[in-house]
């Protein structure tokens, strides 16, 4: 092995993995533009990356039809006791899981190159940042990591001889016999896919999938599952939240972090351009927030990522113009359709449907075709820095002070457009009971209602009962400096099945109300579920929405809310004695208010 690394732990880990996985070659990544170019060239030659004539330096990839989203049923939090992983995580004891996976890893990189990818989550060298090293046999992973994280040889310099890092081992799980022809998207069958986390030793092992969060291990695996466990130990927070800055016409800045489940519009809200005059919105991050209490006692957030891995279908100049402008060049597209003019296309894009395209499976497609041209979880990978509304302070090492936290989800009924928590502890209750209809971001049924506390159900790296307690503890530490907490639902529908709220840029109206609440300028009424806007306090100027629709949108039906009680009870009961006393208290007060 002639790989030049000085860090002792890294040196022996690379040697160990090479002996286990027996790749043909080992390549140490440096993160340079030339390296990216070189990898892409090879992927083009192999017919795996399709260059897009219409978008400079942009490429389309098609995954195997079985490997199109995160696999939550195959995702494990492997702690010494099952109680530590808790009821929301799949668990296998570390010894057993490692034995199974070692058998899979043995010889798994035969015929392939093993890439060693040094990366930083957060600006390189920032005190909040964490260093990871991903070892992967997927060149697709290398080029995506180049965009989504900071891949650089500076990371190795920073590590020195004895610095620590989070090892992230990944294999597509498809060794090649001598002379065997490779497929364009190698992966293993579902029963051999394992996305495993060992939070007690800050270790990630992923096997069998090449897609998104299963394979780009800096994202959900490191920055959420492992980081959430570290954050609890160290007294900070790793959350599934977008971060944005809203500036009022008077120039006052508000920083907002919002948690919604995957594919519920985080990217759209993060890049939203207000429809109300004089207000300005800038993007800081679209998926993950790491938050720490600063020297002044306030909560400061950084976006640990370097790019956006966003859902393509539904993205258009009317839903998210800033994303569309981010996607003009230097983008990787996965599972989108290919037009005859050499561009990507997906359902919901502006303009007419193409008369003919190649669908995400590589087959001819016309508007008459029964299936969609792009997969519902088709994605773009784009550098955050090229977003036209990226905030100039998005890489500030100390982060930005958060004023407002938002929870929400996709609910066709029951939940009004917006309400405010009475206080922090009530806000924790709102986060802990958040529910949403499932989306295509996970392999599984779409549209089922599930409790997704803090939008972290698939991403919390320890017992979620303890996670709730951690939120209460943070509230105690923050005291009067704590951000205010709100709950939103952009997705409520009328009796005849139409969305009641226009959403997108008009969501700025809801954010404005939150800012005015903080400044004591907007009134609210107490209801059993929280504080809702006083009539007239939500700025609806210039919006064409009927009084009836608005009433329905904001309505709170006590009977419908009472019907939630048994489900919340069932949800809470899964946590047994790990359910915080404060949450029990919040729940009984909620029931009391509904009486
Ligand atoms: O595939 S990812 O996990 O990165 C996307 C998502 O589910 O949010
Ligand atoms: Mn996400």
């Amino acid at each position: 092995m002639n790989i030049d690394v000085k860090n002792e732990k890294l040196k022996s880990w690379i040697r160990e993995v090479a002996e286990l996985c027996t790749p043909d070659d080992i390549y140490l990544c440096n993160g340079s533009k030339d390296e990216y170019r070189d990898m892409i060239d090879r992927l083009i030659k192999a017919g795996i990356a399709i260059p897009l004539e219409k978008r400079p330096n942009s490429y389309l990839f098609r995954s195997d039809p079985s490997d199109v989203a995160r696999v939550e049923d195959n995702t494990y939090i492997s702690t010494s006791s099952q109680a530590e992983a808790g009821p929301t995580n799949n668990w296998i004891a570390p010894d057993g899981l490692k034995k199974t996976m070692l058998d899979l890893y043995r010889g798994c990189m035969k015929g392939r190159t093993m890439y060693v990818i040094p990366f930083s989550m957060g600006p390189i060298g920032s005190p909040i940042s964490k260093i990871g090293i991903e070892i992967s046999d997927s060149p697709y992973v290398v080029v995506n990591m180049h965009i989504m994280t900071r891949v650089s040889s500076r990371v190795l310099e920073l590590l020195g001889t004895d610095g620590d890092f989070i090892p992230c081992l990944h294999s597509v799980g498809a060794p090649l016999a001598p002379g065997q022809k490779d497929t364009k998207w190698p992966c293993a069958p579902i029963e051999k896919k394992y996305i495993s986390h060992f939070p007690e030793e800050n270790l990630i092992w992923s096997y069998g999938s090449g897609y998104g969060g299963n394979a780009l291990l800096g994202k959900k695996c490191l920055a959420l599952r492992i980081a959430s466990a570290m954050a609890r130990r160290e007294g900070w927070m790793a959350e599934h939240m977008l971060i944005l800055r809203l500036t009022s016409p008077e120039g006052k800045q508000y920083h907002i972090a919002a948690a919604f489940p995957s594919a519920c519009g985080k990217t759209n809200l993060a890049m939203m351009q207000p429809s109300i005059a004089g207000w300005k919105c800038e993007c800081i991050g679209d998926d993950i927030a790491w938050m720490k209490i600063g020297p002044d006692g306030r909560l400061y957030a950084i976006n640990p990522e370097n790019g956006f891995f966003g859902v393509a279908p539904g993205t258009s100049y009317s839903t998210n113009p800033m994303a569309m402008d981010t996607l003009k060049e230097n983008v990787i597209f996965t599972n989108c359709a290919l037009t005859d003019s050499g561009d990507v296309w997906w359902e919901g894009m502006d303009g007419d449907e193409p008369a003919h395209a190649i669908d995400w499976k590589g087959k001819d497609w016309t508007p008459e075709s029964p299936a969609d041209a792009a997969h519902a979880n088709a994605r773009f990978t784009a550098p955050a820095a090229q977003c036209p509304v990226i905030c100039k302070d998005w890489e500030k090492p100390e982060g930005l002070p958060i004023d407002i936290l938002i929870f929400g989800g996709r609910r066709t009924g029951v939940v009004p457009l917006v309400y405010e928590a009475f206080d922090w502890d009530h806000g924790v209750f709102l986060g802990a009971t958040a529910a949403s209809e499932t989306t295509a971001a996970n392999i599984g049924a779409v549209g089922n209602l599930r409790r997704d506390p803090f939008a972290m159900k698939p991403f919390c790296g320890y017992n979620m009962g303890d996670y709730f307690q951690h939120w209460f503890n943070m509230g105690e530490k923050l005291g009067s400096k704590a951000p205010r907490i709100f709950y939103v639902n952009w997705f409520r529908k009328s009796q005849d099945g139409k969305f009641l709220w226009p959403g997108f840029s008009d969501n700025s109206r809801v954010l404005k109300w939150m800012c005015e609440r903080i400044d004591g300028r907007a009134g609210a009424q107490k209801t059993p579920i929280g504080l809702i806007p006083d009539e007239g306090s939500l700025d609806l100027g210039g919006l064409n929405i009927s009084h009836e629709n608005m009433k329905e949108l904001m309505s709170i039906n006590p009977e419908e809310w009472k019907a939630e009680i048994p489900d919340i009870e069932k949800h809470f009961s899964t946590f047994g004695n790990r359910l915080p006393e404060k949450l029990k208290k919040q729940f009984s007060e909620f029931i009391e208010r509904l009486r």
Side-chain angles (χ1 to χ4, degrees):
M1 183 177 95
N2 53 353
I3 291 286
D4 181 29
V5 294
K6 297 185 174 58
N7 184 279
E8 290 303 327
K9 172 177 163 180
L10 181 57
K11 211 187 286 180
S12 54
W13 185 53
I14 296 174
R15 187 175 303 130
E16 227 174 82
V17 174
E19 277 169 20
L20 175 66
C21 303
T22 62
D24 285 9
D25 276 312
I26 304 176
Y27 175 82
L28 177 63
C29 298
N30 58 34
S32 68
K33 281 209 164 81
D34 285 348
E35 178 175 280
Y36 186 84
R37 189 64 261 154
D38 216 58
M39 301 285 298
I40 289 282
D41 281 345
R42 275 192 245 177
L43 286 161
I44 294 172
K45 274 202 197 97
I48 295 168
I50 303 167
L52 297 169
E53 243 169 82
K54 289 286 153 74
R55 294 175 201 250
N57 191 29
S58 299
Y59 310 92
L60 171 66
F61 290 77
R62 295 189 189 112
S63 81
D64 187 90
S66 70
D67 199 28
V68 291
R70 280 185 293 101
V71 284
E72 290 176 15
D73 290 346
N74 305 52
T75 300
Y76 298 92
I77 298 297
S78 182
T79 39
S80 19
S81 79
Q82 179 161 14
E84 184 50 32
T88 58
N89 286 309
N90 299 310
W91 177 86
I92 302 177
D95 286 354
L97 182 55
K98 282 190 178 165
K99 191 180 170 302
T100 305
M101 290 192 74
L102 284 172
D103 285 345
L104 291 169
Y105 279 132
R106 202 158 290 122
C108 72
M109 294 187 187
K110 256 191 205 109
R112 302 192 184 279
T113 298
M114 170 176 132
Y115 299 95
V116 180
I117 314 165
F119 65 96
S120 174
M121 296 311 287
I124 297 176
S126 149
I128 307 188
S129 300
K130 301 274 178 216
I131 290 178
I133 311 279
E134 177 159 351
I135 290 187
S136 173
D137 54 7
S138 161
Y140 170 83
V141 164
V142 176
V143 287
N144 275 274
M145 287 294 283
H146 263 243
I147 297 176
M148 291 308 298
T149 72
R150 283 121 174 138
V151 177
S152 171
S153 29
R154 271 166 58 216
V155 168
L156 293 181
E157 285 162 28
L158 214 64
L159 270 186
T161 52
D162 59 356
D164 202 14
F165 63 91
I166 298 162
C168 312
L169 175 55
H170 171 252
S171 171
V172 293
L176 292 167
Q180 184 184 341
K181 194 172 173 295
D182 200 2
T183 58
K184 288 193 180 161
W185 187 278
C187 61
I190 186 79
E191 67 279 6
K192 287 193 180 159
K193 289 189 193 347
Y194 286 86
I195 318 298
S196 304
H197 309 74
F198 305 92
E200 287 156 352
E201 45 181 320
N202 290 346
L203 174 68
I204 300 163
W205 280 9
S206 166
Y207 185 90
S209 168
Y211 205 87
N214 300 331
L216 313 176
L217 302 185
K219 194 175 179 59
K220 307 297 186 181
C221 299
L222 192 162
L224 285 177
R225 299 196 189 95
I226 294 294
S228 62
M230 295 174 94
R232 178 185 50 156
R233 294 194 294 265
E234 298 165 6
W236 52 283
M237 310 170 96
E239 300 297 331
H240 191 204
M241 289 179 172
L242 67 92
I243 313 167
L244 64 82
R245 170 186 286 173
L246 200 61
T247 308
S248 74
E250 297 76 37
K252 184 167 175 194
Q253 292 178 352
Y254 305 83
H255 294 103
I256 302 180
F260 306 110
S262 300
C264 287
K266 280 201 300 300
T267 307
N268 292 344
L269 186 62
M271 299 178 191
M272 181 264 294
Q273 291 307 287
S275 58
I276 40 177
W279 289 75
K280 192 170 128 194
C281 183
E282 293 162 286
C283 175
I284 294 147
D286 80 331
D287 197 38
I288 300 175
W290 284 357
M291 301 187 284
K292 288 193 178 165
I293 299 178
D296 62 357
R298 298 182 69 192
L299 191 61
Y300 284 77
I302 70 158
N303 166 16
E305 299 193 278
N306 192 47
F308 307 119
F309 186 67
V311 180
T315 306
S316 71
Y317 274 97
S318 58
T319 62
N320 193 342
M322 294 303 116
M324 292 303 282
D325 282 345
T326 307
L327 302 182
K328 283 183 172 159
E329 54 185 349
N330 313 315
V331 183
I332 292 172
F333 295 93
T334 310
N335 287 347
C336 299
L338 178 66
T339 67
D340 295 348
S341 63
D343 198 3
V344 278
W345 187 81
W346 49 74
E347 277 69 21
M349 207 190 232
D350 312 83
D352 296 333
E353 288 181 323
H356 172 264
I358 305 294
D359 71 8
W360 69 277
K361 291 180 175 168
K363 300 264 159 41
D364 284 309
W365 181 94
T366 67
E368 283 73 49
S369 299
D372 286 348
H375 186 272
N377 194 38
R379 296 273 173 165
F380 54 77
T381 318
Q386 70 186 37
C387 176
V389 288
I390 195 78
C391 178
K392 67 172 181 3
D393 294 328
W394 80 285
E395 292 185 285
K396 245 187 167 178
E398 68 274 26
L400 295 161
I402 297 297
D403 302 285
I404 292 169
L405 293 171
I406 305 176
F407 305 125
R410 199 179 269 277
R411 286 296 297 265
T412 311
V414 187
V415 181
L417 176 65
V418 60
Y419 56 107
E420 183 182 352
F422 300 123
D423 53 30
W424 180 274
D425 285 2
H426 181 233
V428 176
F429 175 73
L430 300 186
T433 52
S436 190
E437 286 142 27
T438 50
T439 69
N442 171 45
I443 298 264
V446 169
N448 291 345
L449 187 70
R450 73 166 180 183
R451 295 284 153 195
D452 188 350
F454 298 83
M456 281 289 277
K457 183 184 182 291
F459 307 121
C460 183
Y462 60 101
N463 190 306
M464 200 151 222
D466 296 346
Y467 169 88
F468 298 155
Q469 185 59 52
H470 183 54
W471 266 83
F472 285 120
N473 296 348
M474 290 300 292
E476 257 167 45
K477 278 192 216 155
L478 285 160
S480 63
K481 306 234 168 105
R484 295 265 281 267
I485 299 179
F486 297 81
Y487 198 99
V488 301
N489 176 27
W490 316 133
F491 301 95
R492 196 168 191 176
K493 286 184 176 171
S494 61
Q495 302 295 339
D496 52 0
K498 294 207 181 77
F499 285 115
L500 286 161
W501 179 247
F504 306 109
S505 59
D506 287 314
N507 291 337
S508 57
R509 300 169 188 276
V510 176
L511 302 189
K512 176 186 172 191
W513 180 75
M514 295 174 184
C515 298
E516 290 177 344
R517 284 292 299 157
I518 291 189
D519 294 339
R521 290 191 284 134
Q525 292 167 42
K526 195 170 172 201
T527 78
I529 65 164
L531 301 160
I532 62 164
D534 266 345
E535 196 150 334
S537 76
L538 205 58
D539 181 351
L540 300 176
L543 185 66
N544 189 11
I545 186 166
S546 72
H547 189 68
E548 286 68 50
N549 273 9
M550 214 43 226
K551 234 173 121 182
E552 198 175 345
L553 190 59
M554 287 311 308
S555 69
I556 294 161
N557 179 339
E559 293 315 309
E560 284 177 351
W561 280 93
K562 276 183 203 162
E564 299 268 304
I565 293 172
D567 192 57
I568 296 175
E569 212 155 52
K570 196 171 123 220
H571 165 56
F572 278 180
S573 72
T574 60
F575 300 103
N577 61 9
R578 302 251 184 166
L579 190 75
E581 284 305 320
K582 279 190 171 179
L583 213 45
K584 291 185 202 161
K585 181 165 170 281
Q586 285 295 329
F587 188 31
S588 50
E589 287 172 4
F590 169 73
I591 296 170
E592 203 48 49
R593 286 194 302 268
L594 280 170
R595 260 191 225 286

